[in-house]
Amino acid sequence: MPLYKTITAQNQTTVYLWKIEETFEELAAGIDLQAAHADRVQGMKSDIHRRGFLSIRHLLAMAGYNDHDLYYNDFGKPHLKDGTGISITHSFEFTGIIVGPHAVGIDIEKERGKILKIAHKFTPLEEYRTLANEEALIRKLSLVWCAKETLYKMYGQPGLSFLQHIDVHDFQLGVDEQTTATIDFNGTKSLYEVFFLEFDGFSCCYGYPKTN
């Protein structure tokens, strides 16, 4: 089974990343899904989405859980029945989960030029004028998007805006492996730790509340 990477983070938090190389049938072997989740995966038209769904169940097993331990709230945020924090992500051939005894978030995105067309919707572009070339700009914008998606998943509240409410504090591309970020929403401000990875043309961020 191609477990791509395991990261032991602070505060009893662990990240598990999977590279999808198996067939649907190989991934389905030994996986027992809730009826609603079985219906959901069978209804997926994309093979990579179906395989991604099952690969996440293998990651759950590595964390000591199974599909029956997982449920989603009305906002679509995943939860574990024992109260452990969890977040889930899937992009093309990569999936990932993060688990910890507190709120957590994770996101994986493929680094693509199309992010340049939507960047103004989630971050002030004038902050990136010092970057040397378009490739560096795509990489940094992808990491910022991942970071904001990570916090959005973690916060789990409708109405939260990437542009207006989430601020990822600046970091040096290719040098810094982490930064902090702030959510300022509905009169409440909260601070988070955010960590970066890049691999195989993908960006990945994970995070959790800053405790000190």
Side-chain angles (χ1 to χ4, degrees):
M1 294 292 186
L3 176 69
Y4 187 79
K5 185 184 287 287
T6 303
I7 302 166
T8 302
Q10 301 171 2
N11 304 326
Q12 299 177 300
T13 301
T14 307
V15 175
Y16 302 88
L17 302 177
W18 189 281
K19 187 172 185 179
I20 306 166
E21 297 177 344
E22 308 87 346
T23 66
F24 178 84
E25 290 73 22
E26 288 170 335
L27 287 165
I31 298 296
D32 179 28
L33 296 175
Q34 303 174 51
H37 291 176
D39 290 343
R40 180 178 169 187
V41 74
Q42 290 301 326
M44 293 177 179
K45 296 180 180 179
S46 166
D47 179 64
I48 193 63
H49 287 163
R50 296 171 74 225
R51 290 190 289 146
F53 188 94
L54 291 179
S55 73
I56 288 165
R57 273 62 197 169
H58 288 278
L59 293 177
L60 281 172
M62 291 177 178
Y65 296 95
N66 61 56
D67 184 71
H68 293 264
D69 297 316
L70 184 70
Y71 70 96
Y72 296 83
N73 67 12
D74 292 341
F75 191 57
K77 181 178 172 64
H79 293 269
L80 290 168
K81 291 179 180 178
D82 69 357
T84 298
I86 186 170
S87 182
I88 294 170
T89 187
H90 177 202
S91 180
F92 293 86
E93 67 266 32
F94 283 98
T95 56
I97 68 170
I98 180 172
V99 293
H102 42 65
V104 290
I106 188 170
D107 190 57
I108 299 172
E109 299 288 342
K110 190 173 181 64
E111 296 175 351
R112 295 182 287 175
K114 75 174 190 178
I115 199 166
L116 299 173
K117 297 179 180 179
I118 64 168
H120 67 282
K121 296 182 179 180
F122 68 87
T123 189
L125 277 174
E126 61 270 15
E127 296 179 3
Y128 306 92
R129 62 183 178 275
T130 60
L131 289 175
N133 54 58
E134 185 173 283
E135 179 187 358
L137 182 58
I138 290 169
R139 287 176 55 206
K140 188 159 187 179
L141 288 171
S142 297
L143 288 169
V144 171
W145 172 269
C146 273
K148 293 200 173 193
E149 184 71 34
T150 291
L151 268 67
Y152 184 84
K153 291 179 178 180
M154 194 188 320
Y155 207 76
Q157 297 292 326
L160 187 69
S161 164
F162 279 32
L163 184 61
Q164 297 176 357
H165 303 132
I166 306 176
D167 179 28
V168 177
H169 304 160
D170 196 25
F171 58 93
Q172 190 171 349
L173 182 67
V175 176
D176 296 330
E177 296 181 350
Q178 67 184 87
T179 188
T180 53
T182 304
I183 293 179
D184 191 349
F185 185 58
N186 283 345
T188 301
K189 183 177 289 189
S190 45
L191 187 63
Y192 300 86
E193 300 270 15
V194 178
F195 301 84
F196 306 118
L197 299 101
E198 291 183 281
F199 48 82
D200 290 12
F202 286 79
S203 298
C204 176
C205 292
Y206 64 91
Y208 38 76
K210 187 172 176 60
T211 56
N212 52 47

